[in-house]
Amino acid sequence: MSREGLSVSPQSEHYRHNSFNRNENIVHPVDSTTNLFRAPLPQPYHHPVRQVTMWELNESQRHPYPSIRRSSEQVLQPTLFASNSFPYQPITGFEPLDPSQEQNTVQQIFIAEPDEDPMQHFVIIPLGKTGAGKSSLLNLILGYDEFKAKAAAKSVTDCITERTGVWAIDHTESIITVADTPGFADSMQRDTEFLQVFQEYIADLGGRLGIDAFLLVFQCDSSTNNIMSILEHFNTMMQQFQPTTWWKHVMLVFTRVDYYPNLKFPPNILSKKQNIAEVLIPSIQKKFNLESPPKYAFVSSKAPNCSFSKKGQCDCFAASKYHLDQMRTLRSRINSILTDNGGRWIPSS
């Protein structure tokens, strides 16, 4: 069938394409006089009313009570003052940034708050006999082997070595200044020589920084007579210093309290810890006529062996937690010394 033979129905006005007829109107007028196309607009419950802001009021209206202000305004006022007094000035090369007004002082230019609190700084001096674990304790605090540590009768430290590092516990970092000292009260018949060295260093460090704590280090299995003799030696050495409050900054540290699987300590370790807490500490307080018993802590500088190597279950996590708890206790006791005494001990000149 040919195309001419097809019957084509006339195209309705609705589907008629208007692009071929330029004379026809594209937009047809609509009669809006009737109510057919009218609809009421939604009305709110109340019309919004603009409130006057605090910045559109004068000073007397803004602050009827000058002594009472909002905290946000107290923070914003210095910022507005700084921005109005010192507009932005680009710095080119090495030209200094001068204030925009002559009456402004340097203190007014630098109006800023610190980003974070400063790091806490500990200053400690460990003292103890040769082999007590002073160097190992300091290496454990610093997190790396900085000082020579050797369990031997002969001292491996012939002089006082001072170091400053970072003490990190629970993602909290503190600056710490420590000193590795020779054997105290047993240094191969050189007690008189080392006594003068200790006194000079304590006077120097106390004058420069002050001292947070004297850590008197002992092995956990040390005899009571041995501990008392070292404390008497320390008491004699410190008699020349003023003020005589240095006993309040003394802390006893007992080493070789190592980790045991499931914290099942041998009976001798448990009895020794109980004897220290119930007998030794009260005896020290009574002997040296102290106002309060000295603080003490137990630490271990020995790396634990995983029980998996002994055909047991892995306890590396428990061992790490045990060592971390010891460091928390040590730092907490040092902080309590500072809190109880209002800061560091500083010798008077």
Side-chain angles (χ1 to χ4, degrees):
M1 181 182 296
S2 63
R3 294 177 61 90
E4 291 76 9
L6 293 176
S7 62
V8 180
S9 61
Q11 190 175 15
S12 64
E13 189 70 19
H14 179 72
Y15 293 100
R16 189 174 181 181
H17 200 282
N18 198 39
S19 60
F20 299 99
N21 190 351
R22 302 295 180 183
N23 297 325
E24 296 186 4
N25 294 327
I26 299 178
V27 179
H28 300 280
V30 178
D31 184 11
S32 59
T33 57
T34 62
N35 293 329
L36 298 177
F37 300 97
R38 290 184 179 181
L41 296 176
Q43 297 294 329
Y45 292 105
H46 64 275
H47 294 281
V49 179
R50 181 178 179 274
Q51 302 294 334
V52 180
T53 62
M54 59 178 293
W55 304 111
E56 296 175 347
L57 302 176
N58 53 34
E59 186 68 20
S60 60
Q61 294 175 333
R62 188 186 310 170
H63 306 296
Y65 302 98
S67 60
I68 304 177
R69 293 191 179 186
R70 298 187 304 178
S71 58
S72 59
E73 189 175 354
Q74 293 175 0
V75 176
L76 188 58
Q77 284 293 338
T79 307
L80 294 176
F81 171 77
S83 61
N84 294 332
S85 301
F86 317 108
Y88 172 74
Q89 301 179 17
I91 301 177
T92 57
F94 298 95
E95 298 177 1
L97 179 60
D98 299 326
S100 57
Q101 300 178 6
E102 296 181 357
Q103 65 270 20
N104 297 327
T105 61
V106 177
Q107 289 79 5
Q108 292 175 333
I109 295 177
F110 297 97
I111 302 176
E113 296 182 357
D115 294 337
E116 57 185 6
D117 295 334
M119 296 175 63
Q120 187 175 9
H121 185 187
F122 294 103
V123 181
I124 61 176
I125 298 181
L127 300 171
K129 297 186 67 172
T130 299
K134 301 185 300 296
S135 301
S136 299
L137 174 63
L138 298 182
N139 292 336
L140 184 64
I141 292 175
L142 294 176
Y144 59 93
D145 295 336
E146 172 64 25
F147 303 105
K148 295 180 180 180
K150 184 178 181 182
K154 182 178 179 180
S155 176
V156 296
T157 305
D158 295 331
C159 60
I160 297 177
T161 305
E162 180 181 311
R163 291 289 185 271
T164 298
V166 176
W167 192 6
I169 304 176
D170 295 330
H171 304 287
T172 302
E173 296 181 345
S174 305
I175 301 174
I176 184 168
T177 297
V178 295
D180 191 22
T181 58
F184 186 70
D186 71 335
S187 299
M188 299 171 292
Q189 306 302 323
R190 298 171 63 184
D191 293 343
T192 304
E193 176 186 351
F194 281 128
L195 181 63
Q196 183 178 2
V197 173
F198 282 131
Q199 291 174 337
E200 292 177 354
Y201 178 72
I202 290 173
D204 174 71
L205 181 62
R208 286 187 289 117
L209 301 174
I211 299 174
D212 293 334
F214 297 92
L215 302 186
L216 296 180
V217 185
F218 308 95
Q219 292 185 13
C220 184
D221 56 354
S222 299
S223 63
T224 302
N225 293 335
N226 188 15
I227 295 175
M228 286 297 185
S229 64
I230 293 178
L231 292 179
E232 291 177 356
H233 195 82
F234 172 78
N235 185 69
T236 303
M237 179 186 69
M238 298 295 295
Q239 288 298 323
Q240 70 171 19
F241 293 105
Q242 296 291 333
T244 59
T245 56
W246 32 265
W247 260 114
K248 297 181 179 179
H249 293 262
V250 170
M251 180 174 178
L252 309 181
V253 180
F254 298 93
T255 61
R256 297 193 178 183
V257 185
D258 301 326
Y259 169 80
Y260 285 87
N262 299 323
L263 300 180
K264 294 181 179 180
F265 297 99
N268 60 327
I269 297 295
L270 295 177
S271 61
K272 188 62 180 179
K273 293 177 65 175
Q274 184 178 3
N275 181 75
I276 290 173
E278 299 179 358
V279 179
L280 179 62
I281 299 300
S283 301
I284 295 175
Q285 180 183 4
K286 182 179 179 181
K287 180 177 180 60
F288 297 100
N289 194 21
L290 306 180
E291 297 179 0
S292 59
K295 294 178 172 56
Y296 62 95
F298 300 99
V299 299
S300 171
S301 56
K302 179 182 178 182
N305 294 324
C306 182
S307 299
F308 186 76
S309 60
K310 303 177 183 180
K311 297 182 180 181
Q313 294 182 353
C314 177
D315 55 354
C316 294
F317 177 80
S320 300
K321 183 180 182 301
Y322 176 76
H323 283 262
L324 186 59
D325 290 340
Q326 290 182 336
M327 289 294 102
R328 289 195 191 103
T329 301
L330 182 62
R331 186 179 65 178
S332 176
R333 301 285 166 82
I334 296 176
N335 273 324
S336 63
I337 290 177
L338 299 178
T339 303
D340 296 343
N341 300 283
R344 294 174 176 169
W345 176 78
I346 300 177
S348 57
S349 55

